[in-house]
Amino acid sequence: MSGVQTITVPADDGDQRLDRWLKRRFPQVTQGMVEKFCRKGELRLDGKRCKASDRIAPGQAVRIPPLPEAEAPKPVAALAIRTADADMIRDCVLWKDEHIIALNKPPGLPSQGGSGQGDRHVDGLTEALKFGYKERPVLVHRLDKDTSGVLLLARTPRVARRLSEAFRARTTRKIYWAIVAGVPQPLMGTVRYGLVKAGARGEGEKMRCIHPNQVETTEGAKRATTDYAVLERLGSRAAWVALVPITGRTHQLRAHMAEMGHPIVGDGKYGGSGQENLGDGWGAQLGGDISRKLHLHARRISFEHPITGKPVTIEAPLPPHMARSWATLGWRETDVPADPFQDPE
């Protein structure tokens, strides 16, 4: 166990999340440890309490509490498991260049560690994605554990900062695909309900929708905006929708669709997994051959390359359980526009 230490943020390490900076410098530190240090006030930024998501700047002083020593080599059995995980995460690579790696994150794999997430997550597997670089690539955004699809990692701190700035400035464009209960009306629109943590025991990160007029007067509430478009329908029972999160709040798409009365199929947290869907909305299960897993997929991301300046668009194929649902319902990926929100040329 090390002692308390204070590190001045170098010029090249500015404008990034505190938790990511700390985990890169000390690989033995987990996301859960960072969150605990922050809750107890043991991790401080310029002498003040801080959050894991706070952004650091060059010259700031980071007080770091005693840390465990780096792990000793694991036994052979553990290495075999890690090798299998390494092969799995490499198979998820959709696209890469000298600066960025894009994964098709499988459902069920958390983006990061944390409360209840265990020790198997994308961030913990990035050692297998170095591809000859000295440092591990870093996440610049995240997807919920049960959401699949495109996930970007930066291969250098410089690229991480620029991609993070692009996400904050909302110059990246993400399109998700989902199946929802019922058919939203109108067929294309915008949801503007704010979000606040539900706060009830046992609900974890569950969010509660707040009317836009009440966001400013509700403690902890944040504004949230989602565009949606119906792409295909199954009578009145279900719809294939495209979703664009204009803001990036926790569980935003899931909470917004549930608030409309059209929860995402397979969403036990927001749709009530025991509710039967008889049509016109509500009920998170379709029954029959349709999987009970969450049907939410980050289908497409578009952004300006932070180094070359060229436009980049990456698409992720559907995960197996969603591909089977599409086949069962007779829907084909090629039958809908890539971006239904853009005017046809």
Side-chain angles (χ1 to χ4, degrees):
M1 185 75 71
S2 66
V4 174
Q5 54 187 309
T6 299
I7 298 178
T8 301
V9 178
D12 293 339
D13 284 0
D15 195 23
Q16 59 181 297
R17 284 174 59 118
L18 175 60
D19 53 359
R20 293 171 186 164
W21 175 82
L22 188 63
K23 288 189 293 182
R24 272 205 303 274
R25 292 188 70 102
F26 303 98
Q28 71 270 34
V29 172
T30 66
Q31 185 69 23
M33 290 169 62
V34 178
E35 301 284 353
K36 183 178 180 180
F37 291 154
C38 291
R39 286 196 304 270
K40 297 177 68 175
E42 296 175 338
L43 183 63
R44 290 181 175 261
L45 195 57
D46 283 341
K48 299 178 181 178
R49 296 180 72 101
C50 54
K51 297 185 294 185
S53 59
D54 284 348
R55 308 195 76 80
I56 58 175
Q60 286 188 303
V62 183
R63 178 198 182 275
I64 301 171
L67 301 176
E69 300 298 331
E71 290 185 4
K74 294 186 177 181
V76 174
L79 289 175
I81 296 173
R82 190 165 64 235
T83 299
D85 282 342
D87 291 340
M88 179 276 297
I89 201 68
R90 290 192 194 108
D91 287 342
C92 293
V93 174
L94 287 168
W95 176 88
K96 68 180 174 71
D97 65 5
E98 296 86 350
H99 311 285
I100 299 167
I101 297 173
L103 302 179
N104 185 9
K105 187 189 82 65
L109 182 67
S111 297
Q112 292 178 296
S115 178
Q117 298 289 17
D119 58 0
R120 185 175 181 270
H121 45 79
V122 174
D123 195 41
L125 298 175
T126 53
E127 183 72 22
L129 299 173
K130 291 163 68 172
F131 298 116
Y133 279 42
K134 291 182 179 180
E135 293 190 0
R136 299 182 301 143
V138 297
L139 292 166
V140 292
H141 64 125
R142 52 165 283 186
L143 296 174
D144 291 344
K145 175 182 177 181
D146 294 322
T147 301
S148 58
V150 185
L151 187 66
L152 298 184
L153 296 90
R155 304 188 71 180
T156 65
R158 177 189 180 196
V159 172
R161 290 194 296 272
R162 293 191 177 183
L163 283 176
S164 295
E165 290 168 0
F167 276 99
R168 290 200 304 276
R170 301 174 189 171
T171 57
T172 58
R173 182 169 181 79
K174 294 182 286 185
I175 297 179
Y176 290 71
W177 280 356
I179 301 180
V180 301
V183 180
Q185 296 291 337
L187 299 181
M188 179 178 288
T190 300
V191 186
R192 293 188 173 86
Y193 278 91
L195 295 169
V196 66
K197 286 187 177 180
R201 181 182 295 274
E203 290 191 316
E205 282 189 314
K206 186 172 183 179
M207 308 301 286
R208 178 167 57 91
C209 285
I210 302 293
H211 191 280
N213 293 340
Q214 298 176 341
V215 171
E216 301 300 333
T217 57
T218 302
E219 183 178 358
K222 295 181 180 180
R223 296 197 177 277
T225 306
T226 299
D227 288 339
Y228 73 89
V230 174
L231 303 178
E232 293 283 359
R233 297 178 247 181
L234 176 66
S236 63
R237 288 197 64 202
W240 169 7
V241 297
L243 302 167
V244 173
I246 306 303
T247 52
R249 310 301 184 198
T250 299
H251 295 177
Q252 175 178 318
L253 303 181
R254 298 164 64 183
H256 272 174
M257 297 314 294
E259 184 67 19
M260 290 181 67
H262 302 286
I264 295 173
V265 168
D267 194 343
K269 185 180 288 286
Y270 290 93
S273 58
Q275 293 176 319
E276 185 180 2
N277 170 16
L278 299 176
D280 298 324
W282 279 109
Q285 303 300 336
L286 291 179
D289 295 329
I290 303 301
S291 171
R292 296 176 65 88
K293 293 181 179 179
L294 182 70
H295 283 63
L296 178 61
H297 177 69
R299 167 65 174 180
R300 191 175 196 255
I301 190 166
S302 301
F303 58 95
E304 182 180 287
H305 196 287
I307 302 300
T308 67
K310 295 180 179 179
V312 177
T313 296
I314 301 168
E315 290 187 345
L318 292 169
H321 76 280
M322 291 181 68
R324 288 193 297 270
S325 295
W326 258 245
T328 298
L329 298 174
W331 295 340
R332 296 188 302 178
E333 299 177 34
T334 55
D335 287 345
V336 299
D339 188 341
F341 303 93
Q342 291 184 341
D343 293 332
E345 296 181 356

